[in-house]
Amino acid sequence: MFELKSDPLAALFDAAENRVGETGAAAVETPLARPALEAKAATINPPSKGGLAVPLEIDAVINRVLLAASPIRSIAQVVDIGSANYRRLITTSGVVSGWVSETQGRPETETPNFSEIAPPMGELYANPAASQAMLDDAGFNVEAWLGDEIGREFARAESVAFVSGDGVNKPRGFLVAPTAATTDLTRPFGTLQFITSGAAGSFAASNPQDRLIDMVHALASPYRQGAVWVMNSATLARIRKFKTTDGAFIWQPGLGPDQPQTLLGHRVVEVDAMPDVAADSLSIAFGNFQAGYLISQRPDTTVLKDPYTNKPYVHFYATRRVGGSVLDSRAIKLMRFSA
């Protein structure tokens, strides 16, 4: 004899129908809603069903935070590159001319000299992790929050490297360039000029603003258009108290929300990575950073979402390749706090 088995799907509906009198329509809807929830979850996790969109969203967050929080980026020259072998040529001397009479011969004149700039490159990376349960159940967007945190850390690390990086697997900062007290005409190319503050580890006791004026005019006039001051907040707080002989502050507040506050007519950019005032410190920079400092970068931040390596954690491995170096050493001046 063969045993006749009932259809499982029919039995499911029969059981639901029998329960209507006891629990109402919800008893019928509950078993039918469960496959829909499972299908929704299936569309999020596989990359081919939409998972690839998550790293792209994190990438966008990182780029926005970098532009907002990295002060050197806002004033330096930034170029997007396709490989690490980036070079820039710069002329260190111009064409030489001469005066002659109508019939006099025209001897050959000097041609410009070139120098090659190769910004050292490095790779920034971050590899934070979050459990899958946190990603599923948290009351906020964990992936967007991680992207914001990665962006802030990248901006901080970049800012330090652009100022004082040693050029080993990272950008070479402008403060590690060779320095000399000689002028542009006699100083070797690639060497930054410094102006002394007048006292070891401090400003001069009398008329300290005079050294700031000397610093402005040590910069050649073609570079002064667009020149800015760079210092940290502690140094700026000391300068804001300087007064002229008639009691007027040399610091000028902005006249409107779109007008920057100025020091001797030039905008001030606060950079926390600049050193505090100390003996022989280079705590103030003044110059045209568009002409003086070059940042090279791969245009995109690479983000790899890895839910497999360290289960049950999901890693967000982010990398960004960035380089930097002094481009034109005549465009940036430094103040050394020495007598």
Side-chain angles (χ1 to χ4, degrees), residues 299-317:
D300 298 321
T301 299
T302 301
V303 181
L304 174 63
K305 183 179 180 181
D306 178 13
Y308 308 109
T309 302
N310 189 22
K311 298 175 182 177
Y313 297 99
V314 178
H315 285 262
F316 297 90
Y317 176 59

Side-chain angles (χ1 to χ4, degrees), residues 118-123 160-174 176-177 293 322-326:
M121 297 285 294
E123 186 169 278
V160 173
F162 296 151
V163 172
S164 58
D166 59 9
V168 179
N169 298 324
K170 63 174 69 73
R172 183 182 296 113
F174 58 87
V176 302
Y293 194 80
V322 183
S325 68
V326 171

Side-chain angles (χ1 to χ4, degrees), residues 39-54:
K40 180 179 180 181
T43 62
I44 296 176
N45 292 331
S48 61
K49 296 296 184 180
L52 290 175
V54 175

Side-chain angles (χ1 to χ4, degrees), residues 77 79 86-90 115-119 294 327:
Q77 183 178 158
V79 295
Y86 175 76
R87 301 290 187 272
R88 172 71 68 86
L89 292 179
I90 183 170
S115 181
E116 184 181 72
I117 305 297
L294 176 67
L327 179 62

Side-chain angles (χ1 to χ4, degrees), residues 270-303:
E270 294 185 45
V271 179
D272 292 338
M274 290 291 289
D276 291 331
V277 173
D280 294 326
S281 66
L282 300 170
S283 301
I284 300 177
F286 176 74
N288 188 321
F289 282 78
Q290 275 285 329
Y293 194 80
L294 176 67
I295 297 174
S296 57
Q297 64 176 15
R298 292 296 298 271
D300 298 321
T301 299
T302 301
V303 181

